[in-house]
Amino acid sequence: MNIDAAINIHDLRELARRRLPRVIYEYLEGAAEDEVTLRRNRSSLDEVEFIPRIVAGHKKADLGVTLFGESLAFPAVVGPTGMNGIFHRHADLVLARAAEQAGAAFALATASNESIETVGAATRGVKWFQLYPWGDRKVWRRLLDRAAAAGFTCLVLTVDTPVPGNRERDRRNRFAHDVTISPRTVLDGLLHPGWLWNVWLKGVPRFENLLEFVHPAADIHEIAAFTRKHRHPDLSWDDVAAIRAMWKGPFLIKGVLSVQDARQALNMGADGIVISNHGGRQLDGAVSTIQSIEPIADAVGKRLTILADGGFRRGADIVKALSLGANAVVLGRAPLYGVAAAGAAGAARALQILEEETARTMILLGCGSVKTLSPDYVSAPYQQRR
Ligand SMILES: Cc1cc2nc3c(=O)[nH]c(=O)nc-3n(C[C@H](O)[C@H](O)[C@H](O)COP(=O)(O)O)c2cc1C
């Protein structure tokens, strides 16, 4: 299928499935244990019904928002995802450029395969940096200094990964942070020559941001050993406060699912939160994110910028999240399907599809601007009725 013939994100996902070795596709697609939360992110979105206003007279919809003083033409952040280089060569750069083109923000992961400096220099779009609090305070400070110097404006601290989630597809495939190349993996690669040529034969992607903490030529196994050794299951609110103090710009905490933690984030001096269950990849059985938006927005929405992610595959999903109280959304797998399917053209196509769907949904809903979306436009079984 030609990339322009992909009419929705499901088509891009199918193209990605065909292009990637199974082990890699399962890493992209999979989630923790029985994948209940992965499915529930979707089923809870499907339960949200629109209540359109008729004869609302909007020729087109304004999708623009301002987040922390920066304007976005499309209310989305291409989310922080580690190991993007395994899907396509230079995928971090490709995604950052696609986001800029679409008027979305881009969040670079600590575990990216392009360095902070390379991505910083490659795009003038809105760039955020995501921190995993691995290592000690010296490591955090160093990464944050590099991000600030490279033009990243917001810091996203991810706190829902005290230990790795139990992703059984990856365990079965022996593809965790530590990649084991079995004969089956080799055969899998040979059956996907496009991927093999584009990714593997040009040198296995490295965790560029972390090399300096191990050694300059550290391979994927050595970095995996570093992250295993230097995780912080005991991360405390004092540590969060220390990170807040190290960063001068806007600060977001990613992985919030409760009103209590949203209030705590506010008390810690956060400017925003990402309501997230990590796409179902961490705590299986965690509440779906779409359900969590409205109660959290009611409690802290006037004082915190609220982002949400989890299962967004349609523009309509984005409109549902914004109606329930999110200021913008974070996209995980959707743009990754695009980049895995066809590199730059695929990443651009993913964002174009979502942008067109969002605009069309807004007109059909009878709402002219995402800034005026409200819970009045939707109904869901779990919604609090006022
Ligand atoms: C392949 C993959 C890698 C990810 N890596 C990270 C990461 O390094 N840091 C992080 O904060 N979240 C990471 N996430 C979670 C995403 O940022 C996001 O929360 C999640 O994917 C949203 O759900 P969705 O994929 O259904 O849109 C990753 C997700 C995927 C699919």
Side-chain angles (χ1 to χ4, degrees):
M1 188 195 292
N2 177 299
I3 199 69
D4 294 323
I7 59 169
N8 59 29
I9 298 294
H10 307 305
D11 288 346
L12 291 176
R13 174 181 175 221
E14 176 54 22
L15 288 175
R17 192 185 65 76
R18 285 190 224 155
R19 184 177 163 276
L20 296 175
R22 198 173 60 89
V23 168
I24 309 291
Y25 177 72
E26 295 218 78
Y27 162 71
L28 162 54
E29 190 64 358
E33 297 189 347
D34 296 316
E35 303 191 338
V36 172
T37 295
L38 174 76
R39 286 193 299 280
R40 202 167 281 155
N41 276 346
R42 278 296 331 154
S43 59
S44 297
L45 269 164
D46 290 341
E47 280 180 335
V48 181
E49 296 173 309
F50 284 122
I51 307 172
R53 303 303 308 275
I54 53 169
V55 200
H58 300 293
K59 268 196 189 154
K60 59 188 190 100
D62 176 9
L63 307 186
V65 290
T66 302
L67 297 182
F68 311 112
E70 295 186 291
S71 305
L72 299 180
F74 182 55
V77 182
V78 172
T81 52
M83 286 237 275
N84 289 340
I86 204 86
F87 306 124
H88 197 276
R89 195 132 200 93
H90 304 307
D92 296 307
L93 282 179
V94 164
L95 287 163
R97 290 187 181 126
E100 179 183 9
Q101 212 64 43
F106 173 73
L108 184 73
T110 295
S112 61
N113 297 126
E114 300 291 333
S115 73
I116 292 169
E117 291 73 17
T118 307
V119 175
T123 123
R124 294 150 66 94
V126 176
K127 293 180 289 285
W128 297 3
F129 180 67
Q130 176 262 331
L131 181 73
Y132 270 141
W134 293 332
D136 56 18
R137 291 189 183 191
K138 270 193 252 140
V139 174
W140 309 340
R141 182 179 293 280
R142 171 78 184 135
L143 287 170
L144 298 192
D145 286 349
R146 287 174 59 187
F152 290 78
T153 50
C154 289
L155 175 64
V156 180
L157 173 67
T158 302
V159 293
D160 57 9
T161 37
V163 292
N166 183 19
R167 298 178 204 157
E168 295 184 353
R169 299 201 213 193
D170 293 346
R171 285 176 62 190
R172 209 159 273 125
N173 294 331
R174 305 190 69 185
F175 183 89
H177 263 202
D178 232 339
V179 184
T180 308
I181 308 291
S182 66
R184 206 181 76 187
T185 316
V186 173
L187 180 65
D188 204 356
L190 291 173
L191 291 172
H192 297 84
W195 175 87
L196 194 68
W197 174 248
N198 173 268
V199 174
W200 206 256
L201 293 180
K202 293 190 181 154
V204 182
R206 303 187 310 168
F207 292 104
E208 295 290 334
N209 298 328
L210 302 172
L211 295 178
E212 68 170 292
F213 307 112
V214 184
H215 65 83
D219 66 16
I220 216 160
H221 302 283
E222 289 167 292
I223 299 279
F226 169 85
T227 58
R228 254 198 316 273
K229 186 159 165 223
H230 296 284
R231 261 178 198 274
H232 279 296
D234 56 348
L235 188 83
S236 66
W237 284 109
D238 278 349
D239 294 319
V240 175
I243 294 168
R244 162 72 287 192
M246 289 175 196
W247 183 259
K248 293 199 178 60
F251 174 67
L252 293 99
I253 299 183
K254 176 170 182 277
V256 173
L257 289 170
S258 71
V259 169
Q260 293 92 316
D261 283 345
R263 289 212 170 94
Q264 175 73 3
L266 182 65
N267 293 339
M268 299 307 304
D271 303 283
I273 51 172
V274 184
I275 299 175
S276 175
N277 52 34
H278 217 105
R281 294 161 79 85
Q282 285 298 114
L283 174 64
D284 195 32
V287 62
S288 70
T289 45
I290 194 80
Q291 277 200 54
S292 312
I293 297 174
E294 196 178 16
I296 293 178
D298 277 349
V300 296
K302 290 202 171 64
R303 287 167 295 165
L304 283 180
T305 297
I306 295 185
L307 285 96
D309 69 23
F312 300 138
R313 306 287 181 266
R314 288 275 185 193
D317 299 332
I318 297 174
V319 176
K320 289 172 181 177
L322 300 189
S323 298
L324 287 165
N327 298 97
V329 300
V330 174
L331 303 169
R333 293 179 185 83
L336 292 181
Y337 294 142
V339 79
R349 183 78 189 120
L351 294 178
Q352 183 193 25
I353 287 170
L354 291 173
E355 196 265 340
E356 286 173 5
E357 288 180 351
T358 305
R360 188 186 307 107
T361 301
M362 291 290 294
I363 302 290
L364 289 170
L365 192 59
C367 182
S369 163
V370 292
K371 295 189 229 21
T372 58
L373 283 169
S374 76
D376 292 341
Y377 286 102
V378 289
S379 158
Y382 43 79
Q383 209 177 357
Q384 306 153 2
R385 276 281 154 234
R386 280 165 284 206

